[in-house]
């Protein structure tokens, strides 16, 4: 578009499309649409597993969507597979083999306007309608995060040469924690939820740390 190459392409999970993308768009990051996998593919190949193992669907959903880091994902995935003896399930093996293309802990490092994790949508058109649309003010999304920060508290856990690591946790639910690193000189902050990389809008966890340290929004976080 306008002589600029796409950086990311999101498609249905399909072998033919995957091969074509690898050939034609070899420099482009390729993600699979989470809506398609979750609404179409998983029910098609896992319905017998869902029926046989009552808690599997819920635990599988949580491991895909709530694992913040790759280590966390791998340990959660292994635990639910072992619990129900699903090591030989070919669909789960296949989906694990391609996990870099669709699971949050991997894809959240790449900007794609939060599209590949939309869970409520039946189609890509609906993804676009839900978020963002032409009348969505980006500062409304920022405002949601700014209001949301008030539910969180921060605690300094490590301080090593100009870099402070904070544990950011929900005041009424200490189990929900995030790690934010803050560079004192550059005022750069990184959260392990990776919302900024994924959506270009700072998350409430980073805001909780910046409000404690910086007193105003560092200029690198105000994008064109
Ligand atoms: Zn965050």
């Amino acid at each position: 578009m306008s002589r600029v190459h796409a950086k990311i392409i999101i498609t249905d999970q399909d072998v033919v499309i995957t091969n074509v993308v690898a050939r034609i768009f070899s420099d482009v990051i390729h993600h699979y649409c989470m809506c398609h996998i979750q609404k179409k593919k998983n029910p098609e190949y896992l319905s017998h597993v869902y029926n046989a193992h009552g808690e599997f669907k819920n635990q599988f959903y949580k491991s895909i969507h709530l694992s913040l880091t790759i280590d966390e994902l791998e340990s959660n995935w292994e635990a639910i597979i072992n619990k129900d003896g699903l090591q030989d399930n070919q669909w789960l093996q296949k989906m694990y083999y391609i996990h870099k293309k669709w699971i949050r802990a991997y894809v959240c490092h790449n900007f794609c306007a939060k599209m590949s994790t939309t869970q409520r949508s039946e189609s890509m058109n609906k993804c676009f309608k839900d978020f963002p649309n032409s009348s969505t003010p980006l500062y409304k999304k920022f405002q949601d995060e700014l209001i949301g920060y008030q539910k969180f508290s921060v605690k300094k856990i490590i301080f090593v040469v100009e870099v402070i690591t904070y544990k950011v946790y929900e005041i009424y639910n200490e189990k929900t924690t995030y790690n934010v690193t803050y560079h004192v000189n550059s005022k750069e902050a990184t959260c392990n939820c990776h919302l900024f990389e994924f959506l270009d809008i700072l998350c409430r966890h980073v805001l909780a740390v910046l409000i404690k340290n910086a007193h105003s929004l560092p200029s690198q976080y105000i994008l064109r």
Side-chain angles (χ1 to χ4, degrees):
M1 292 181 288
S2 306
R3 297 176 187 272
V4 178
H5 281 280
K7 290 181 180 163
I8 287 196
I9 186 165
I10 304 173
T11 72
D12 284 357
Q13 188 266 321
D14 175 272
V15 175
V16 176
I17 294 175
T18 303
N19 290 340
V20 171
V21 169
R23 242 182 54 212
I24 309 295
F25 299 107
S26 54
D27 295 330
V28 175
I29 297 167
H30 183 197
H31 289 177
Y32 294 136
C33 174
M34 178 64 89
C35 320
H36 178 246
I37 291 176
Q38 196 150 287
K39 300 275 182 183
K40 301 266 187 315
K41 292 284 189 162
N42 282 347
E44 190 179 331
Y45 292 97
L46 292 176
S47 57
H48 62 292
V49 176
Y50 293 165
N51 289 334
H53 305 280
E55 290 179 26
F56 176 83
K57 188 176 180 181
N58 195 22
Q59 289 170 338
F60 187 49
Y61 179 93
K62 281 187 183 167
S63 79
I64 293 167
H65 292 284
L66 302 183
S67 300
L68 286 177
T69 64
I70 292 158
D71 286 347
E72 204 179 318
L73 167 74
E74 287 177 350
S75 102
N76 288 340
W77 185 287
E78 195 182 341
I80 59 169
I81 297 289
N82 289 342
K83 178 174 165 284
D84 291 324
L86 296 166
Q87 294 88 341
D88 295 329
N89 183 292
Q90 289 188 355
W91 178 250
L92 290 170
Q93 285 175 358
K94 182 176 175 179
M95 295 316 283
Y96 191 74
Y97 182 69
I98 58 168
H99 57 0
K100 287 183 183 170
K101 288 194 188 297
W102 67 286
I103 291 183
R104 184 188 191 279
Y106 284 93
V107 303
C108 69
H109 296 266
N110 304 317
F111 175 75
C112 52
K114 214 179 177 183
M115 281 195 43
S116 69
T117 59
T118 295
Q119 298 127 35
R120 294 171 296 157
S121 307
E122 292 295 330
S123 70
M124 293 306 275
N125 287 341
K126 187 161 186 314
C127 293
F128 274 117
K129 270 186 198 156
D130 280 355
F131 176 88
N133 63 46
S134 56
S135 62
T136 304
L138 286 178
Y139 275 90
K140 169 71 173 74
K141 300 303 294 179
F142 176 76
Q143 189 179 308
D144 290 345
E145 295 302 315
L146 190 59
I147 292 168
Y149 106 86
Q150 296 172 77
K151 283 193 208 158
F152 286 84
S153 193
V154 305
K155 189 173 174 183
K156 193 185 285 185
I157 49 173
I158 309 171
F159 186 9
V160 185
V161 201
E162 312 291 339
V163 180
I164 311 174
T165 303
Y166 289 94
K167 173 182 156 187
V168 181
Y169 57 96
E170 263 194 68
I171 294 165
Y172 299 110
N173 175 17
E174 280 207 43
K175 282 185 189 161
T176 312
T177 64
Y178 299 85
N179 282 344
V180 173
T181 53
Y182 176 69
H183 293 249
V184 176
N185 284 340
S186 66
K187 294 188 169 48
E188 288 203 358
T190 312
C191 178
N192 63 351
C193 84
H194 295 289
L195 186 74
F196 187 71
E197 291 89 329
F198 201 40
L199 181 61
D200 271 0
I201 287 177
L202 281 175
C203 65
R204 55 199 65 193
H205 324 118
V206 164
L207 288 170
V209 167
L210 287 179
I211 282 162
K212 196 177 173 64
N213 287 284
H215 309 299
S216 65
L217 200 58
S219 57
Q220 65 265 36
Y221 294 118
I222 303 171
L223 306 179
R224 274 205 315 147

